[in-house]
Amino acid sequence: MSTAAAGTRVELPAPQVRSQGISLRRGLVLIGFSALIPGTAQLAAGNRTVGKWAVRVWAGIVALVLFVGLLSLPFRSFAIGLYANQITLTILQWGVLAYGLGWALLLLDAWRLADPRAMSRTGKLISGGLAVVLAVSGTGIAWGASGIFGAQKSLFGDIFGGGGNAQVQNGRFNVLLLGGDAGADRTGLRPDSITVASIDAETGRTVLFSLPRNLQRAPFPADSPLHKLYPNGYYCPQESLANQCMLNGVYTLATQHKKLFPGVKYPGVEATRSSIEEILGLKINYWAMIDLKGFEKLIDAVGGIRLDVGKRVPIGSLHGKKGVYGWIEVGKNQHMDGFHALWFARSREYSTDYERMIRQKCVMSAMLKQLDPATVLTKFQSLADAGKQVVATNLPADQIGTMLDLAMKGKALPMASVSFTPPTLKAAVKGDIPTVNPDFVLIRRLTAEAIAASEAKDKAGTQTQAAPGSTKPPGTTPTAGGSSKPTKTTKTSKTNTDNLDSICKVS
């Protein structure tokens, strides 16, 4: 006992109580520092060799993270490509799990080094509980991170098989996007949506070219195995087969003749790609085919999209058992889940192929503009599961960074769009049906003009809308084989570029 200055007697804690308090504070300090920098507790009061190695590992990881972070600023594409590598993801998958387990063991050892026997019962519960909570939490986080890295490795390994052409084509990357439509009422898989995204390799500014699925006389290049079967383009004069010999039937045609494509994993896509190159006059760098059910899951995984709907769209089919059983009504800033977004993109009833193609591009534009890195990070597991519905792509994993980089650049720029279907593409000769007798010379000219107009915006540094197709087209008319020859009856085509925002606005 002692006397205070004011004469009041103060009881000091007994030596045992003071010792217990000191042990608790020491334990909390050791656990706290070990949680921040693994190995510090062992350096201070335990096996110093273990502590040194633990601190070195921690310092090495911190330095590596900082280095990669700084590297990604000027070389973002390279950093993403390196991250997407299978070896990198394997190391991360097992490395983060090993780190988490090691960190948990060091925390528990820090509690042991604090000598809990010298603590009171309450002190043991506080320090022990803290150590266990931190250890379990850290292990759980490591387990979850390991699962994400494993899902990414599986996703990249299963989908990004490579084989595409990384060479820039006249300053652009051209990507073929196919929406696969396989169902009980279909013979095999046929692309329901056919779009080529032509992307400026510097600015990311994009032009979308949509081709109607019912385009006939699709040409095959001379080096295609199908050219010998259809030297004048894919066309069936028999009326009963006319609906089979269309652009979206090229996939099935090549699959049925897969022996003509030895060593080719996806002959249907290969044949479709080569035909579209002939139609547009563009070399395709990469292609991707997405099953439409996967598309639905992908929209759900990102939490849906928002669109301004200018025309009500039916849900269902007049030829189905249920008929038309619902509607997507007109309205602004409408939230759509995967089910409604899929019907918005696919619905055929009370509509034309032209309108349908515009809706599909509107949905694609919404995904491009509304999908942000935070969404990808927080919902990656769902995105990975949905992404495995992608049938195939020949984009290699080491080019993912380049494409993502361009996508982020293009996100802030207006997206031009050209649809080669009425009323965009007028018949070269009055009375012709464009999809039956398409003028491929005119299509290639309009493609070149749309790209030139897009590039002019970057060169001029202005957002002025160009009007490709306003000049008089060359005098051509399609022959029976789909090629063109001079004629004096050709009339000037109308405007060829549609504005996505004027037809279907992205909120």
Side-chain angles (χ1 to χ4, degrees):
M1 291 186 295
S2 62
T3 304
T8 304
R9 301 176 62 183
V10 179
E11 289 285 339
L12 295 176
Q16 182 179 2
V17 175
R18 290 200 300 271
S19 176
Q20 290 174 343
I22 293 171
S23 296
L24 175 59
R25 289 192 294 274
R26 181 170 181 268
L28 294 177
V29 169
L30 289 176
I31 293 171
F33 274 99
S34 191
L36 293 174
I37 307 176
T40 50
Q42 286 69 30
L43 277 176
N47 189 318
R48 293 183 61 83
T49 301
V50 172
K52 287 179 180 179
W53 276 107
V55 171
R56 287 171 183 170
V57 170
W58 173 84
I61 292 173
V62 171
L64 183 62
V65 170
L66 290 175
F67 173 75
V68 172
L70 293 173
L71 182 68
S72 65
L73 295 177
F75 305 107
R76 182 168 55 182
S77 298
F78 172 77
I80 294 175
L82 178 64
Y83 170 79
N85 186 278
Q86 292 287 289
I87 296 176
T88 304
L89 288 170
T90 299
I91 293 173
L92 289 173
Q93 178 185 4
W94 297 106
V96 70
L97 191 60
Y99 181 84
L101 291 173
W103 186 69
L105 291 175
L106 289 172
L107 273 171
L108 296 176
D109 187 56
W111 180 66
R112 179 189 66 83
L113 293 174
D115 192 11
R117 293 173 300 179
M119 301 178 191
S120 65
R121 179 176 297 179
T122 302
K124 292 177 183 178
L125 290 174
I126 293 174
S127 60
L130 177 63
V132 169
V133 168
L134 289 174
V136 171
S137 299
T139 304
I141 293 173
W143 182 270
S146 178
I148 290 176
F149 290 134
Q152 290 176 329
K153 184 181 74 170
S154 176
L155 177 68
F156 295 145
D158 292 345
I159 294 176
F160 299 96
N165 181 11
Q167 185 68 36
V168 176
Q169 304 295 325
N170 295 319
R172 308 186 72 81
F173 287 105
N174 300 310
V175 183
L176 172 61
L177 306 172
L178 301 172
D181 190 13
D185 60 338
R186 287 294 185 93
T187 303
L189 187 148
R190 283 188 285 168
D192 188 63
S193 172
I194 304 170
T195 303
V196 172
S198 184
I199 308 164
D200 190 290
E202 294 293 331
T203 66
R205 189 185 294 274
T206 302
V207 183
L208 295 179
F209 298 100
S210 293
L211 292 163
R213 62 189 179 87
N214 60 341
L215 189 76
Q216 297 186 37
R217 305 179 192 274
F220 297 111
D223 59 352
S224 171
L226 297 177
H227 181 76
K228 294 180 180 180
L229 298 178
Y230 297 90
N232 296 319
Y234 190 35
Y235 176 71
C236 298
Q238 304 94 330
E239 187 175 346
S240 60
L241 297 177
N243 65 340
Q244 298 295 325
C245 298
M246 300 187 296
L247 181 57
N248 72 333
V250 171
Y251 186 99
T252 305
L253 176 69
T255 302
Q256 292 171 345
H257 295 83
K258 59 183 178 182
K259 291 183 179 179
L260 297 176
F261 298 84
V264 178
K265 188 175 182 181
Y266 301 101
V269 179
E270 174 61 24
T272 303
R273 177 199 62 78
S274 64
S275 181
I276 289 175
E277 285 186 342
E278 285 290 292
I279 294 171
L280 297 180
L282 298 175
K283 287 294 183 182
I284 303 296
N285 294 86
Y286 306 113
W287 54 261
M289 177 176 278
I290 304 175
D291 181 83
L292 289 175
K293 287 302 290 183
F295 171 83
E296 180 178 342
K297 291 181 180 179
L298 194 64
I299 295 288
D300 284 332
V302 301
I305 58 175
R306 291 193 172 275
L307 298 172
D308 290 350
V309 180
K311 179 181 178 181
R312 67 196 311 243
V313 177
I315 297 174
S317 171
L318 294 176
H319 305 287
K321 293 182 179 179
K322 294 183 179 179
V324 174
Y325 57 90
W327 294 86
I328 297 173
E329 299 293 346
V330 174
K332 291 187 176 182
N333 197 30
Q334 290 201 53
H335 179 269
M336 293 187 189
D337 57 14
F339 173 81
H340 290 88
L342 179 60
W343 272 111
F344 184 78
R346 289 191 66 194
S347 183
R348 292 188 176 94
E349 307 299 347
Y350 311 115
S351 181
T352 64
D353 268 353
Y354 172 74
E355 291 179 358
R356 186 163 164 267
M357 289 161 64
I358 295 300
R359 293 199 306 268
Q360 290 171 352
K361 285 187 289 185
C362 191
V363 170
M364 288 165 49
S365 179
M367 292 187 68
L368 174 65
K369 292 182 179 180
Q370 296 172 9
L371 188 61
D372 58 80
T375 302
V376 175
L377 180 63
T378 58
K379 299 184 178 180
F380 183 82
Q381 199 71 39
S382 298
L383 283 169
D385 293 339
K388 290 181 181 179
Q389 295 286 338
V390 175
V391 176
T393 179
N394 66 345
L395 177 69
D398 59 5
Q399 288 296 305
I400 294 174
T402 299
M403 292 295 105
L404 284 178
D405 198 24
L406 290 176
M408 293 302 294
K409 290 180 179 178
K411 190 174 181 179
L413 298 173
M415 186 181 298
S417 171
V418 178
S419 297
F420 294 111
T421 182
T424 300
L425 182 59
K426 292 294 185 181
V429 179
K430 187 175 181 181
D432 282 355
I433 301 174
T435 54
V436 175
N437 287 300
D439 185 341
F440 293 114
V441 171
L442 179 57
I443 290 176
R444 286 190 287 271
R445 198 205 78 196
L446 297 179
T447 299
E449 287 179 351
I451 289 175
S454 177
E455 292 177 345
K457 294 178 183 178
D458 292 317
K459 292 178 181 178
T462 176
Q463 299 298 314
T464 302
Q465 178 67 38
S470 58
T471 59
K472 187 177 181 179
T476 59
T477 184
T479 64
S483 61
S484 300
K485 63 181 181 181
T487 178
K488 294 181 180 180
T489 58
T490 301
K491 294 186 177 181
T492 303
S493 62
K494 206 175 180 181
T495 303
N496 308 292
T497 300
D498 54 73
N499 185 332
L500 287 181
D501 289 344
S502 69
I503 299 174
C504 175
K505 272 202 166 185
V506 178
S507 301

